[in-house]
Amino acid sequence: QTFGIVTAFITSAYDVLAPWANQIFAAATAFIANAYEVLKPRAEEALTSASALSARAYELLQPRAHYALDVAIAFAFSIYEAMAQPLVKSVVATVVAKSQAWSQAAAADPYINATLSKMHSASHAARLHLDAVLAMASENLATMAGTSHVQAILAHKQVEAVVAHPFFAPGLRVLAYSSLFVLFVKFFRKLFRARQAPPRSKAPKERKPKAIAVSAKDGGFGSRGGDSSKRGKEVKSKSKKTGGGSARLRGVGEAQLRTEENLPSTFELVLAPLKALLDMMAVVCRALRSLLSSRNEGAVIVESGRTSSACEASVIAEAPISTNSSTNDEPARKATATAANKKKRPADPPSHQRLLATMKGFSEAVTSAALSQDGNLAAAVSTDRTLRVFPGLVHAGQRPLDTPLIANVPLDHGTCCSLSANGRNVIVGSALSRKVLAYAIVPPGAKKTKAGLMLKRELASAAHKRSMCVTLLAPNSKFFVTAGSEDDMSVKLWSLSGELVATQQNKQHAQFGASISADSRLIAIAGSSSARGGHVAPRHGQVSVYEVGYHDDAPASLNLVMSVAGHTRGVTAVSFACDCVHLAVASKDCEWSVWSTHKDEPKEVARGTAPRELPFDLIALSPFAKRLVGATSKTLSIICVNMTGRSTLIETIDNTGHAGVSALAFSTDGLRVLSGGEDGKLRLWRVESEEKAGTI
């Protein structure tokens, strides 16, 4: 009866809806034809624009694609070499042996066998039931398809056109596969979220856990290397086990009285070998990662320096050992090992002819770095809460560098640092406490004093509302300047005794860095006048230049004297030359410029575009304003600045080794430049040869 009622309803619905369906099909066809005629010219224009855009994108991204391909190939070869090691083979053999032993033990377990038999019988019954349902459904469908009105619907020309459409069958197939994939994902999510069965071990009677007092001797809070955290976890686990409301049967006959609710689920038992195999693969991956990291830690510190201990260990391990050799062969073996050591010594990436030295030691990213005026010291701070000073840079590239001097920033990390003119002091601006700390430097070779860094005093506490983006010590060592970040746009002038001399509010939306002229008279602040980093008017000055006023040879005031404009995006970095006149500016509009500040109004003397149209994040100007070094996240560009003509690009160092350049400083002799990056390393580069130092 139900089937008859449905058949009558479909017949009447077809008779009523057939005219409307024809009208709808006709209207849709006309609408599609009109839309095609209207949108065809726009589609051709869009296609032309997309083709031009894709060609431009290919030109811009081709160098990066080649670099990424080289990196991927090198990584693949390194993974292949690591997989070929005997250690990996032994681990894989152990995994296979353990998995086979586990499979044999699981096959002998009666619970697993009983569960598998139950699953087999259940699946057989489900298959029989499914066959019966499919047979009944096919019979009903055949009966329905034989009726006249269903035949009329299938014979309609629009229905035939839809079924004959080339996308009809693939669409149904994609819909079916998508449904199966969703069901598969839901099934495995429920499967892996299922809880495991409680352990089969005995437990004490139900009682409340007592508080355990752990002394410092037994590993309390005051002891070093104590296990207080582990003991706390054990107390929590005991309280969970004994304090729960779901009690289990304990004692003799537990296996017979255990209910089916405490048994592992069927899918847990079936997929347990796969889970064990995945755990073993994770162990193998961790072992490979530790192996590769131990290799990378043995890199060479300086190009012409010593060979690392890791390389020596590998040479010793790979050298053939003969038990029959005599003592006379010992010098020959040493010579062979030395030759192999020289051949297989890993080069410090990147290996470039301009790279003089690589300074390591930081475990996290470098936030700021500075060079002393004599070019012998380099100071840097990192997010690993350390301050390091590297001496002996004048001999970089000739002999190994001296051991760096290390000091900790108390309970914080430094965001900026600056060296004094005599190279005996360094100031650090902290991030969270917003303090300015002064450290004394005792270089190696000092008489009656051990080399190191000593915290002398705290110059300022809570200097700004937010962390400082820059802390600069004046070249005349009479004051220092701090600038805020985020929503703190203040610029403050401090005396060396820690007294606040003057404060100015920079009328910008963001501040990124600063630079002080060599005569300690002008201070340039790099900023952006756009709230969201968008375009601004070229005449809108985004570099504020302040003048320090003196009274009785002491800093007394801070006044805004000029604003440098000329860029359409925010300014990322500024740098004064040692001639106290020229100022270099880098902007997000992919351009750089050099300005003359010896008059009241700044005058542009040189301008250029950054290579590959990638904006410079940092910039450094040589002492005589003849060379300009700009840094992006991975490249360094050396540019010859021409005040009367067009500036030229000398060289672009594509692979600096830094994950991102966070510091850049020029030496006062104009020969070298220092860079610091997020990889925790400092690198010293040669910009000019010693024969081109200049003439005074």
Side-chain angles (χ1 to χ4, degrees):
Q1 291 177 2
T2 304
F3 189 79
I5 293 173
V6 171
T7 303
F9 175 75
I10 292 175
T11 304
S12 59
Y14 173 74
D15 296 334
V16 173
L17 297 177
W20 292 2
N22 292 330
Q23 294 178 4
I24 292 173
F25 273 115
T29 303
F31 176 75
I32 291 173
N34 294 332
Y36 174 76
E37 295 296 335
V38 173
L39 297 178
K40 182 178 179 181
R42 298 184 181 180
E44 292 177 353
E45 295 177 359
L47 182 60
T48 305
S49 302
S51 300
L53 181 61
S54 61
R56 182 59 177 168
Y58 173 78
E59 294 177 358
L60 293 178
L61 298 179
Q62 185 180 8
R64 300 187 180 182
H66 287 299
Y67 172 76
L69 183 60
D70 295 338
V71 172
I73 292 174
F75 179 76
F77 275 105
S78 62
I79 292 297
Y80 173 76
E81 293 176 359
M83 289 296 293
Q85 296 297 327
L87 176 62
V88 179
K89 294 182 179 180
S90 62
V91 170
V92 172
T94 305
V95 170
V96 173
K98 288 187 177 181
S99 61
Q100 291 178 355
W102 193 92
S103 301
Q104 294 175 0
D109 195 340
Y111 293 102
I112 296 179
N113 294 329
T115 304
L116 291 176
S117 62
K118 289 181 181 180
M119 185 179 66
H120 179 70
S121 59
S123 62
H124 181 67
R127 188 179 65 179
L128 295 177
H129 182 68
L130 181 61
D131 292 340
V133 171
L134 291 176
M136 184 175 61
S138 61
E139 183 179 357
N140 292 335
L141 288 175
T143 305
M144 183 183 296
T147 58
S148 59
H149 51 275
V150 176
Q151 294 291 338
I153 292 175
L154 295 176
H156 196 275
K157 59 180 182 179
Q158 299 296 340
V159 177
E160 292 179 356
V162 171
V163 174
H165 197 275
F167 293 101
F168 181 77
L172 291 180
R173 192 177 299 108
V174 169
L175 181 61
Y177 289 163
S178 302
S179 303
L180 289 176
F181 177 77
V182 171
L183 293 176
F184 181 78
V185 171
K186 290 184 178 180
F187 168 75
F188 273 95
R189 286 182 63 184
K190 291 183 180 179
L191 178 64
F192 285 105
R193 288 181 180 177
R195 294 184 178 179
Q196 296 181 355
R200 301 182 182 180
S201 61
K202 295 183 180 181
K205 295 182 180 180
E206 184 176 352
R207 61 183 179 181
K208 296 182 179 179
K210 296 182 180 180
I212 299 176
V214 182
S215 62
K217 183 178 180 181
D218 295 332
F221 293 104
S223 63
R224 296 182 181 179
D227 297 334
S228 59
S229 60
K230 295 183 179 179
R231 295 190 180 186
K233 293 180 180 179
E234 292 176 2
V235 171
K236 291 182 180 180
S237 62
K238 288 182 180 179
S239 64
K240 289 182 180 179
K241 290 180 181 179
T242 58
S246 59
R248 293 178 57 229
L249 296 174
R250 309 288 181 181
V252 181
E254 180 184 2
Q256 289 78 11
L257 297 177
R258 187 186 295 115
T259 60
E260 292 185 358
E261 295 178 354
N262 295 329
L263 288 174
S265 64
T266 302
F267 294 103
E268 289 178 358
L269 294 175
V270 173
L271 295 178
L274 179 60
K275 186 176 182 296
L277 183 59
L278 292 176
D279 294 339
M280 289 296 180
M281 292 178 64
V283 172
V284 172
C285 291
R286 285 196 293 269
L288 288 176
R289 184 174 60 184
S290 63
L291 180 62
L292 293 177
S293 62
S294 64
R295 283 188 174 185
N296 293 334
E297 288 177 357
V300 181
I301 297 180
V302 186
E303 277 188 346
S304 61
R306 300 181 298 261
T307 306
S308 63
S309 60
C311 181
E312 294 174 358
S314 64
V315 171
I316 293 173
E318 293 175 2
I321 300 176
S322 176
T323 57
N324 299 327
S325 60
S326 61
T327 56
N328 295 330
D329 297 333
E330 186 67 19
R333 285 202 303 270
K334 289 185 178 179
T336 304
T338 304
N341 191 6
K342 290 182 178 179
K343 290 180 181 179
K344 297 184 178 181
R345 190 186 75 179
D348 185 19
S351 57
H352 196 275
Q353 59 181 358
R354 292 185 180 271
L355 181 62
L356 295 176
T358 300
M359 291 149 276
K360 302 180 181 180
F362 294 109
S363 60
E364 296 182 10
V366 175
T367 56
S368 179
L371 269 175
S372 60
Q373 289 191 3
D374 58 359
N376 192 42
L377 296 177
V381 289
S382 171
T383 54
D384 63 357
R385 299 185 176 183
T386 60
L387 164 67
R388 295 176 186 262
V389 175
F390 298 87
L393 297 187
V394 292
H395 304 292
Q398 302 173 3
R399 61 178 178 84
L401 297 180
D402 298 333
T403 303
L405 312 178
I406 307 174
N408 291 326
V409 180
L411 303 176
D412 206 344
H413 72 272
T415 59
C416 43
C417 65
S418 180
L419 280 165
S420 61
N422 56 10
R424 297 180 181 178
N425 298 278
V426 58
I427 61 173
V428 176
S430 60
L432 300 179
S433 59
R434 307 180 302 282
K435 297 179 181 179
V436 180
L437 307 176
Y439 291 83
I441 302 175
V442 181
K447 297 181 179 179
K448 299 181 181 181
T449 307
K450 185 179 180 180
L453 292 173
M454 295 182 294
L455 179 60
K456 293 179 61 177
R457 58 173 300 183
E458 180 182 312
L459 296 179
S461 179
H464 290 265
K465 297 180 181 179
R466 297 290 185 267
S467 60
M468 293 167 282
C469 68
V470 66
T471 300
L472 291 177
L473 190 59
N476 59 6
S477 298
K478 293 183 178 180
F479 65 89
F480 66 93
V481 178
T482 60
S485 62
E486 298 180 7
D487 57 347
D488 184 6
M489 295 294 105
S490 60
V491 180
K492 297 184 178 182
L493 181 68
W494 305 78
S495 64
L496 293 185
S497 61
E499 180 184 357
L500 181 61
V501 177
T503 303
Q504 286 286 344
Q505 291 294 329
N506 193 8
K507 296 181 180 180
Q508 305 291 341
H509 286 281
Q511 294 181 151
F512 303 109
S515 180
I516 300 180
S517 60
D519 58 356
S520 303
R521 186 179 65 89
L522 298 179
I523 302 171
I525 306 294
S528 175
S529 61
S530 176
R532 298 182 180 179
H535 293 274
V536 296
R539 63 180 181 276
H540 196 162
Q542 299 186 93
V543 178
S544 302
V545 181
Y546 297 91
E547 184 179 11
V548 179
Y550 290 87
H551 179 70
D552 293 338
D553 202 23
S557 61
L558 185 66
N559 301 313
L560 179 66
V561 292
M562 66 182 70
S563 294
V564 179
H567 290 278
T568 58
R569 300 291 295 274
V571 173
T572 57
V574 291
S575 177
F576 266 111
C578 291
D579 58 2
C580 308
V581 174
H582 293 96
L583 174 66
V585 177
S587 175
K588 294 180 181 179
D589 59 2
C590 303
E591 291 185 352
W592 58 268
S593 57
V594 178
W595 300 76
S596 176
T597 60
H598 69 285
K599 296 182 179 180
D600 295 338
E601 290 295 331
K603 180 182 179 182
E604 181 180 309
V605 295
R607 177 178 286 268
T609 303
R612 302 171 187 173
E613 296 185 358
L614 295 176
F616 289 147
D617 298 327
L618 295 171
I619 198 171
L621 190 60
S622 65
F624 303 105
K626 298 297 183 183
R627 296 290 184 268
L628 183 144
V629 178
T632 62
S633 60
K634 293 183 179 180
T635 64
L636 281 180
S637 299
I638 304 174
I639 299 173
C640 177
V641 180
N642 191 350
M643 303 293 181
T644 58
R646 183 178 180 181
S647 301
T648 57
L649 175 65
I650 298 177
E651 185 178 359
T652 296
I653 303 174
D654 292 326
N655 183 17
T656 60
H658 298 303
V661 180
S662 56
L664 194 66
F666 232 116
S667 62
T668 54
D669 57 4
L671 301 180
R672 298 172 295 177
V673 67
L674 177 72
S675 65
E678 296 181 1
D679 58 346
K681 298 180 179 63
L682 299 178
R683 289 184 171 87
L684 191 65
W685 307 87
R686 181 177 63 251
V687 179
E688 297 281 1
S689 62
E690 295 183 357
E691 289 77 10
K692 298 180 181 179
T695 303
I696 299 176

